[in-house]
Amino acid sequence: MRIGIAQTRPEFGERDRNLNDTFALLSREAADLWVIPEFFASGYQFARAEEVRDLAEPVPDGSTVRALASFCRDRNCFVAAGLPEAADGVVYNSAVLVGPRGFVSVYRKIHLFGDETRWFAPGNLPFSVQDIGVARVGIMICFDHFFPEAARTLALLGADILAHPANLIIPGLAQRTMTVRALENGVFAATANRVGEESRAEKTLRYTGQSQIVAPDGTALARLSSDRVEAAVAEINPAEARNKRLTSRNDKLGDRRPEFYRT
Ligand code: ACM
């Protein structure tokens, strides 16, 4: 199968323009599954509660999921993408999986980062894995990379691919952790980060790019620049993620001793 990562530069609050720019980028190449950044259509750096409310959307009935569904139907592909989700009277930092037949699932970010705790409720759904036919896909969002439990839970649930929409601001950090997450769990990991700057409420955030696709042995199959809008597609065999053997006597998941992991 072909897996793609798209590295975008959204303009805060310009949802239609950001959607169009993203679809133009994805249309240059074909992939079975695209991973695109956290908050790719809304922008990330919220400054007021009203902005969060205005840009949040219901899932699956909001305009971003509808636009993604139409793109996936036209291109016969799946997309994992982040958006602010209005639900339960609060807003979650969510990511959806959408495919040729429309909405598939939603994940609500469990480990919130920095100022996100001002605007978003912590995720309240368990990690889950979806079978898209060619592979089994689990979603985690940005700062979740720092918690090995997130990737491990998705691997134990049977994920072949960790789809990781991100808005990373610390250079080089998630590139290292996600390489280890792929290696220690024997899965593919696709991180789609954004680039550019946002300067709002007297604070500037610089997004660090270097989106990457990593194989189950920890090799990078693609790594993008730190500052350009671009995409990459890699041909992968998801079956490689189902063999967890490390040596003839060792298995990456089977050798765990969870009875000793309680704290
Ligand atoms: C992050 O979780 N957006 C760094």
Side-chain angles (χ1 to χ4, degrees), residues 43-89:
Y44 178 83
Q45 201 190 4
F46 294 91
R48 295 193 313 275
E50 306 84 76
E51 293 175 343
V52 182
R53 275 201 300 276
D54 287 352
L55 287 163
E57 305 179 42
V59 170
D61 294 323
S63 57
T64 297
V65 175
R66 273 203 300 276
L68 288 168
S70 156
F71 179 82
C72 291
R73 192 174 53 242
D74 292 348
R75 309 281 302 189
N76 193 30
C77 67
F78 287 81
V79 174
L83 79 172
E85 178 197 5
D88 312 328

Side-chain angles (χ1 to χ4, degrees), residues 14 16 93 96 150 179 255:
E14 299 294 332
D16 289 347
N93 179 343
V96 288
T179 298
D255 286 1

Side-chain angles (χ1 to χ4, degrees), residues 1-4 32-36 77-81 95-99 104-107 126-140 150-151 153-165 187-191 236 238 241-242:
M1 70 171 283
R2 286 164 66 83
I3 180 167
D32 300 294
L33 170 67
W34 280 105
V35 183
I36 60 183
C77 67
F78 287 81
V79 174
V96 288
L97 181 67
V98 179
V104 176
S105 64
V106 64
Y107 164 68
F127 287 103
S128 73
V129 169
Q130 315 302 322
D131 190 339
I132 63 166
V134 283
R136 298 185 297 233
V137 180
I139 296 183
M140 48 192 279
T153 302
L154 291 170
L156 290 171
L157 288 168
D160 304 315
I161 299 170
L162 306 178
H164 182 219
V187 293
F188 293 90
T191 296
I236 65 164
R242 299 190 186 173

Side-chain angles (χ1 to χ4, degrees), residues 38 44 93 109 111-113 116 141-144 166-169:
E38 181 180 13
Y44 178 83
N93 179 343
K109 187 175 184 177
H111 305 100
L112 296 176
F113 180 76
E116 290 173 28
I141 302 176
C142 206
F143 189 46
D144 285 332
N167 273 188
L168 297 157
I169 56 172

Side-chain angles (χ1 to χ4, degrees), residues 13-41:
E14 299 294 332
R15 186 158 52 203
D16 289 347
R17 195 201 312 171
N18 297 332
L19 282 166
N20 288 338
D21 287 353
T22 303
F23 294 140
L25 180 64
L26 301 191
S27 297
R28 292 193 211 152
E29 278 184 275
D32 300 294
L33 170 67
W34 280 105
V35 183
I36 60 183
E38 181 180 13
F39 291 158
F40 79 103

